[in-house]
């Protein structure tokens, strides 16, 4: 780390920003010379300058740090949401790390043409416009959420990454994994109604899918030269990284984990640290074998499937590496196992270090006789980075618990995602997956249905190839699962409905269109036709536009291009990046 003292000579009429505030500026006709205050010690990759025509909105943290969001002229109103999240994030991280924001000011800039989503330059964070700007008229609910997550992520780096920098790119996963994890913690505290931890399982399941491939890589990889680093900015660094941190935090407990993070921040402020340095602090603060445990997750690729079989009053547990191609790998992990049975207040923990182990469940899991209320679920709320395969009796009991509404949202997501992966790997049958899916009819939660949608979309594709004769029937079954919540929501937003319902509507409509549901397609086309004549119509607000666009494309062919031409015209006329993405 080094101190930086920058001077810029730029056209006088432009705004010129850098990591630190301006010390003084002198003008000589069309050129001004801007001198910035000297920075504290910082890493070279975080030095930034931004020069251009901008306007801004401004706020202040509780400790009096000035925060600004810069936008192109005329767009500063769209920066207000990010400003609010930014100020709240700085307040929260100051408390979480028990360390003040290290710089005198923070600027966030929306840049019209920017390659990455965002970059956490110290005190001068740069974003793509779609990652920072939010417009009540043209932005969707999901973009509100992704702006909040992105801002909270980049501002977490101001401490984790900028104040304490990784020693070398090998430890990149820790930077990104931690920022991803803690951004969810922040957003959950600002917007508890978003159920963001349930949505976080999207990241976990994405990583589980990638990491079940033979070609995966460990989250901690040797980087020999800085030019190699682009290759590892992937879902393994971000999503598996964040998921194993969630697993560790859940094993150690929220309070102990936070205290240790604050000690780590103080110990390594204004310098560099390795992954092992963090484990050492966590071990010292908690007395738990953090290094041995975490090394099995960070230095080897893949993860285990836990086979669970009931024998008398015990559940026999066995771990084996899970690979999507159905083969078995030789990996072994130290697994923080959790389980609940019969009710949610019976949580049990076990640190599985061996290949096999027994979980004593006794009689509190309910009545195992036919028609009884017995059930047990491993990997509670999906905090562990592993899959679970249940024997027939345990699986039937879980299906019963699902249908009698005993399971948490996160557990509902966990069992369907595990069974889906196990059936792709041919460890379970597709019939058992379809049977389980049918248990989700009537489900109304956004996150659960979002996973159901991922699974059904994939099944529809696979069955079209593998069992063309059955593909039509399978589509009808999938439509049956998604149709009733979709009909309940309809196409039109309702006053006062929740953020999650606003996000659920386009998800379901899009899924039904893609499954070829005629009524939904016709309604989408009808609304689209009105929209082409009247862009201001309330019949097609930003949230449902994508579903209508897809509906239009379902009817397009080389002899009937009119829908395609109309869509292209809309694309060309759209000024907003988000509208173009739709
Ligand atoms: Zn990041």
């Amino acid at each position: 780390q080094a101190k930086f003292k920058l001077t810029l000579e730029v056209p006088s009429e432009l705004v010129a920003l850098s990591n630190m505030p301006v010390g003084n500026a002198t003008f000589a006709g069309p050129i001004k010379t801007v001198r910035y205050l000297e920075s504290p010690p910082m890493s070279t990759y975080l030095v930034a300058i931004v020069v251009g025509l901008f306007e801004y909105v401004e706020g202040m943290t509780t400790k009096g740090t000035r925060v600004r969001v810069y936008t192109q002229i005329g767009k500063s109103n769209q920066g207000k949401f990010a400003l609010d999240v930014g100020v709240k994030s700085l307040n929260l991280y100051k408390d979480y790390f028990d360390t003040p924001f290290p710089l005198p000011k923070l600027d966030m800039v929306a840049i019209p043409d920017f390659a990455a989503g965002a970059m956490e330059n110290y005190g001068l964070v740069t974003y793509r416009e779609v990652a920072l700007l939010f417009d009540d008229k043209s932005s969707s609910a999901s973009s509100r959420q992704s702006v909040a997550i992105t801002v909270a992520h980049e501002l977490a780096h101001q401490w984790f990454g900028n104040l304490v920098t990784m020693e070398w790119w090998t430890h990149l996963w820790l930077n990104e994994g931690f920022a991803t994890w803690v951004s969810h913690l922040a957003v959950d505290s600002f917007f508890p109604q978003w159920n963001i931890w349930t949505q976080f399982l999207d990241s976990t399941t994405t990583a589980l899918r990638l990491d079940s491939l033979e070609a995966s890589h460990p989250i901690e990889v040797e980087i020999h030269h800085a030019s190699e680093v682009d290759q590892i900015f992937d879902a393994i660094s971000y999503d598996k990284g964040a998921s194993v941190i969630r697993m560790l935090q859940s094993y150690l407990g929220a309070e102990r984990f936070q205290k240790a993070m604050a000690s780590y921040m103080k110990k390594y402020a204004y310098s560099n640290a390795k992954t092992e340095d963090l484990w050492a602090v966590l071990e010292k603060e908690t007395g738990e074998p953090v290094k041995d445990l975490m090394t099995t997750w960070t230095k080897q690729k893949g993860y285990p499937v836990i086979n669970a079989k009931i024998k008398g009053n015990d559940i026999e547990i066995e771990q084996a590496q899970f690979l999507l191609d159905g083969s078995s790998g030789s990996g072994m992990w130290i697994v923080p196992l959790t389980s609940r049975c019969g009710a949610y207040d019976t949580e049990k923990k076990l640190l599985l270090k061996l290949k096999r182990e027994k979980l004593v469940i006794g009689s509190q899991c309910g009545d195992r006789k036919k028609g009884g209320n017995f059930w047990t679920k491993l990997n509670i709320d999906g905090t562990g980075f592993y899959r679970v395969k249940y024997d027939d009796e345990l699986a039937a009991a879980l299906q019963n618990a699902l249908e009698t509404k005993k399971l948490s949202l996160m557990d509902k997501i966990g069992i369907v995602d595990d069974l889906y992966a196990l059936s792709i790997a041919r460890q379970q049958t597709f019939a058992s997956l379809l049977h389980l899916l049918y248990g989700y009819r009537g489900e109304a939660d956004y996150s659960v249905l979002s996973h159901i949608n991922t699974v059904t979309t994939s099944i529809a594709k696979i069955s079209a190839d593998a069992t063309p004769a059955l593909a039509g029937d399978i589509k009808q079954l999938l439509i049956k699962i998604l149709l009733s919540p979709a009909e309940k929501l309809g196409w039109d937003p309702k006053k006062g409905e929740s953020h999650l319902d606003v996000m659920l509507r386009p998800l379901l409509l899009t899924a039904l269109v893609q499954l070829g549901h005629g009524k939904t397609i016709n309604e989408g086309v009808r609304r689209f036709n009105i929209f082409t004549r009247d862009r201001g119509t309330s019949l097609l607000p930003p949230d449902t536009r994508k579903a209508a666009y897809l509906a239009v494309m379902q009817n397009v062919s080389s002899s009937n291009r009119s829908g395609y031409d109309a869509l292209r015209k809309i694309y060309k006329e759209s000024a907003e990046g988000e509208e173009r993405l739709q």
Side-chain angles (χ1 to χ4, degrees):
Q1 298 200 343
K3 294 176 179 172
F4 287 84
K5 199 170 174 183
L6 298 187
T7 302
L8 294 183
E9 286 182 16
V10 295
S12 298
E13 73 277 15
L14 298 183
V15 173
L17 305 168
S18 185
N19 307 86
M20 294 294 288
V22 174
N24 63 69
T26 48
F27 292 80
I31 297 293
K32 62 179 172 183
T33 303
V34 187
R35 293 172 200 84
Y36 297 90
L37 298 179
E38 186 177 69
S39 78
M42 61 182 276
S43 289
T44 53
Y45 75 96
L46 297 168
V47 176
I49 56 172
V50 172
V51 181
L53 282 171
F54 295 106
E55 59 181 34
Y56 62 83
V57 285
E58 182 178 299
M60 199 76 88
T61 68
T62 50
K63 286 281 176 226
T65 304
R66 195 197 75 201
V67 182
R68 283 181 181 168
V69 172
Y70 283 86
T71 69
Q72 280 189 290
I73 306 294
K75 290 188 178 175
S76 61
N77 257 332
Q78 297 178 35
K80 284 184 175 163
F81 177 68
L83 176 68
D84 180 49
V85 174
V87 169
K88 283 181 177 150
S89 298
L90 291 192
N91 289 336
L92 182 138
Y93 294 140
K94 170 188 69 67
D95 292 341
Y96 191 86
F97 297 120
D98 195 22
T99 304
F101 177 65
L103 300 181
K105 61 91 182 169
L106 172 79
D107 294 325
M108 304 196 281
V109 192
I111 296 187
D113 190 3
F114 188 61
M119 174 64 209
E120 70 266 24
N121 314 299
Y122 218 178
L124 179 59
V125 185
T126 45
Y127 299 80
R128 269 190 211 177
E129 284 196 334
V130 288
L132 190 67
L133 302 187
F134 178 81
D135 179 33
D136 278 325
K137 284 194 293 297
S138 67
S139 302
S140 59
S142 61
S143 95
R144 176 193 288 270
Q145 193 178 292
S146 70
V147 166
I149 292 274
T150 308
V151 169
H153 176 111
E154 301 309 325
L155 299 195
H157 278 314
Q158 304 301 308
W159 283 263
F160 207 99
N162 298 6
L163 179 62
V164 178
T165 303
M166 65 213 161
E167 187 177 71
W168 181 239
W169 297 105
T170 298
H171 309 286
L172 174 79
W173 81 271
L174 188 58
N175 244 17
E176 295 310 339
F178 188 84
T180 302
W181 175 80
V182 82
S183 68
H184 285 76
L185 181 128
V187 168
D188 187 46
S189 102
F190 309 149
F191 306 101
Q193 70 279 19
W194 290 2
N195 274 352
I196 206 73
W197 283 116
T198 309
Q199 297 191 52
F200 176 81
L201 290 182
D202 273 348
S203 308
T204 304
T205 53
T206 301
L208 284 168
R209 229 153 269 165
L210 259 183
D211 206 24
S212 62
L213 303 174
E214 185 56 57
S216 184
H217 64 81
I219 37 187
E220 197 175 319
V221 261
E222 272 318 311
I223 296 288
H224 305 285
H225 187 273
S227 65
E228 296 170 20
V229 79
D230 272 352
Q231 294 180 31
I232 56 164
F233 274 96
D234 64 4
I236 296 289
S237 318
Y238 281 73
D239 294 336
K240 184 179 179 183
S243 300
V244 299
I245 286 167
R246 177 170 178 245
M247 176 165 71
L248 178 65
Q249 188 249 13
S250 143
Y251 174 69
L252 296 175
E255 207 173 306
R256 288 206 295 176
F257 186 78
Q258 176 180 355
K259 270 201 183 133
M261 290 312 302
S263 310
Y264 169 80
M265 207 51 71
K266 286 176 187 142
K267 184 165 181 193
Y268 292 100
Y270 301 107
S271 68
N272 300 72
K274 303 187 285 288
T275 303
E276 288 74 16
D277 296 327
L278 177 60
W279 300 159
V281 173
L282 283 162
E283 284 201 353
K284 190 165 164 251
E285 298 276 332
T286 66
E288 297 281 350
V290 175
K291 185 176 173 217
D292 286 351
L293 191 170
M294 290 306 283
T295 301
T296 68
W297 296 94
T298 62
K299 294 202 192 246
Q300 70 180 334
K301 66 181 179 183
Y303 59 86
V305 54
I306 304 295
N307 282 283
K309 289 180 186 147
I310 190 156
K311 285 267 164 69
N313 277 340
D314 299 332
I315 293 184
E316 290 181 0
I317 303 284
E318 182 178 343
Q319 64 162 306
Q321 182 170 1
F322 178 75
L323 287 164
L324 202 61
D325 64 8
S327 64
S328 55
S330 57
M332 277 280 289
W333 287 264
I334 298 181
V335 188
L337 269 186
T338 52
S339 72
R340 277 179 190 151
C341 73
Y344 269 81
D345 53 8
T346 57
E347 180 157 341
K348 283 198 169 176
K349 291 186 174 189
L350 169 75
L351 199 57
L352 175 67
K353 295 180 179 160
L354 308 169
K355 177 104 178 135
R356 288 179 199 86
E357 192 96 54
K358 259 184 201 154
L359 199 67
V360 183
I361 55 169
S363 57
Q364 82 265 43
C365 301
D367 180 4
R368 274 176 66 194
K369 279 201 270 331
K370 206 172 160 50
N373 57 356
F374 165 83
W375 61 273
T376 183
K377 164 84 177 56
L378 273 64
N379 194 9
I380 294 309
D381 290 340
T383 53
F385 196 77
Y386 54 87
R387 298 199 182 278
V388 183
K389 181 183 173 188
Y390 298 95
D391 71 11
D392 291 346
E393 180 180 345
L394 293 171
L398 261 182
Q399 174 112 20
N400 189 38
L402 170 74
E403 299 202 8
T404 51
K405 308 204 180 331
K406 301 263 169 51
L407 300 182
S408 73
L409 296 176
M410 295 196 227
D411 282 340
K412 285 187 199 174
I413 292 169
I415 54 176
V416 71
D417 202 74
D418 284 355
L419 188 55
Y420 167 68
L422 287 161
S423 50
I424 298 277
R426 301 188 305 278
Q427 292 197 34
Q428 300 273 21
T429 63
F430 255 115
S432 65
L433 176 60
L434 291 174
H435 179 62
L436 177 71
L437 273 175
Y438 201 58
Y440 288 84
R441 65 198 184 283
E443 177 60 53
D445 175 75
Y446 165 77
S447 294
V448 177
L449 283 167
S450 154
H451 285 264
I452 296 295
N453 175 45
T454 307
V455 172
T456 54
T457 307
S458 164
I459 293 176
K461 277 189 193 140
I462 292 170
S463 64
D465 285 336
T467 56
L470 286 177
D473 288 346
I474 290 178
K475 273 191 179 176
Q476 288 312 311
L477 171 78
L478 302 178
I479 287 171
K480 225 177 223 171
I481 296 166
L482 302 175
L483 191 57
S484 90
E487 283 180 334
K488 227 174 262 168
L489 288 172
W491 279 78
D492 297 308
K494 297 182 185 59
K495 253 218 165 95
E497 66 187 348
S498 73
H499 169 81
L500 291 176
D501 277 350
V502 176
M503 296 217 299
L504 179 57
R505 176 175 295 113
L507 178 96
L508 292 172
L509 292 175
T510 305
L512 287 170
V513 165
Q514 286 175 319
L515 285 167
H517 184 244
K519 209 176 137 197
T520 309
I521 292 175
N522 292 342
E523 183 59 16
V525 172
R526 185 183 79 83
R527 286 173 186 252
F528 178 81
N529 288 336
I530 297 169
F531 179 66
T532 53
R533 292 191 297 273
D534 170 17
R535 292 295 164 78
T537 177
S538 62
L539 289 178
L540 208 55
D543 282 296
T544 44
R545 269 175 215 163
K546 187 176 170 190
Y549 295 165
L550 285 166
V552 167
M553 286 306 290
Q554 298 283 323
N555 291 336
V556 164
S557 64
S558 52
S559 57
N560 175 16
R561 293 173 46 106
S562 62
Y564 171 74
D565 291 335
L567 259 179
R568 230 180 123 201
K569 189 158 170 270
I570 291 172
Y571 177 84
K572 287 196 163 160
E573 288 169 7
S574 303
E576 304 297 335
E578 190 191 339
E579 178 66 12
R580 291 183 151 219
L581 278 178
Q582 303 233 38

